[in-house]
Amino acid sequence: DSGMQPNHPDGGLIVDARNFTSSPTADDVYGHGTHVGGIVGARSNNGLGVTSVAFECPLLNAKCIADFGSGSFSWMAQAAIWAVQRGAKVINFSAAAPTGSQVMADAAKWVWDNGAIIVAAAGNQNSSVPRFPAAYPNVLAVASTQLNDTKSPYSNYGPWVSCGAPGANIWSTKKGSAYGYMAGTSQAAPHVSALAAMLFARATAKGIPITNQQVRDIILRTCDALPVGTTGLGAGRINAYRAVSAV
């Protein structure tokens, strides 16, 4: 993402950071990555602003979105490979582009072949046109749902989308040691990334071998069905309790 504030008082457990952009720092200047990272792994049960989906989840800050809010597939590919080499099981990309690239497609396949999983935002154009890296094979493409489980008005949709997750008015950490609401498939994707992390962690704690394919399958088969008339959001809205209970 765009980096994370490393010293946010409620920030996640950042175990390493690497800057793949033209920015001089891995910190979050643009103001996007800190919010996304807080959804996954902000400190929990500490009496401060927000609790995260995957309590105390170790985070790798792989900065591949520059300080002006965009990046390159080359940066993203390098970030994904570095993170997996550092031990990450889940890669979150809260970014979407209208066209893909061979370097990113190759990186997505490499991540999958090495036992990890990429979760990516479907994009916010209210369109059925595939966005990348979300639409690559084996990537979990995440749309945004609202409080009533219908599609957020801005969310992309279509047969290439894997599932939906909450993305409307999500409260999380922000740069400057602040908190705030943001909305979009960028906020939906880290809910799914956090759930994938919990499945890997629960299996490890129980001494049960689990593969990225099994994690993907559990997430999708435990989704809740969406209201009648809501289509194009894949398997439905994720259900963390059902998914974790399935391990």
Side-chain angles (χ1 to χ4, degrees):
D1 212 291
S2 63
M4 288 184 278
Q5 180 186 335
N7 60 348
H8 194 293
D10 201 21
L13 180 63
I14 300 173
V15 296
D16 202 355
R18 180 82 178 267
N19 178 20
F20 295 92
T21 75
S22 56
S23 168
T25 176
D27 293 358
D28 184 13
V29 176
Y30 181 61
H32 190 267
T34 301
H35 197 270
V36 170
I39 295 169
V40 177
R43 298 286 186 173
S44 301
N45 296 334
N46 62 352
L48 295 177
V50 64
T51 196
S52 56
V53 178
F55 297 12
E56 306 296 310
C57 176
L59 300 174
L60 288 170
N61 175 15
K63 182 169 179 172
C64 54
I65 302 298
D67 298 341
F68 46 84
S70 63
S72 73
F73 277 128
S74 174
W75 293 346
M76 293 171 70
Q78 293 176 69
I81 291 169
W82 171 79
V84 173
Q85 290 174 336
R86 288 285 288 109
K89 301 297 291 183
V90 185
I91 309 295
N92 184 88
F93 281 128
S94 285
T99 57
S101 79
Q102 191 60 53
V103 67
M104 190 65 233
D106 291 345
K109 183 179 185 302
W110 185 92
V111 167
W112 182 263
D113 290 345
N114 280 271
I117 189 167
I118 293 176
V119 178
N124 303 322
Q125 289 74 37
N126 188 29
S127 169
S128 62
V129 177
R131 293 272 157 166
F132 299 91
Y136 287 129
N138 299 320
V139 174
L140 273 167
V142 184
S144 172
T145 58
Q146 308 181 90
L147 188 62
N148 62 0
D149 279 347
T150 59
K151 184 183 81 69
S152 299
Y154 47 78
S155 178
N156 289 344
Y157 57 93
W160 53 279
V161 170
S162 306
C163 60
N169 297 324
I170 304 300
W171 181 258
S172 184
T173 49
K174 295 194 79 172
K175 71 169 188 169
S177 300
Y179 300 90
Y181 290 104
M182 293 182 74
T185 57
S186 283
Q187 280 59 50
H191 282 81
V192 180
S193 292
L195 177 53
M198 286 196 289
L199 299 184
F200 278 116
R202 182 169 173 83
T204 299
K206 286 180 164 287
I208 302 169
I210 194 168
T211 66
N212 51 3
Q213 184 66 60
Q214 289 171 314
V215 167
R216 179 189 175 95
D217 290 347
I218 290 171
I219 289 173
L220 297 184
R221 70 177 169 83
T222 57
C223 282
D224 285 350
L226 298 172
V228 173
T230 300
T231 60
L233 302 191
R237 193 255 301 131
I238 60 167
N239 184 316
Y241 176 77
R242 289 178 61 193
V244 173
S245 298
V247 177

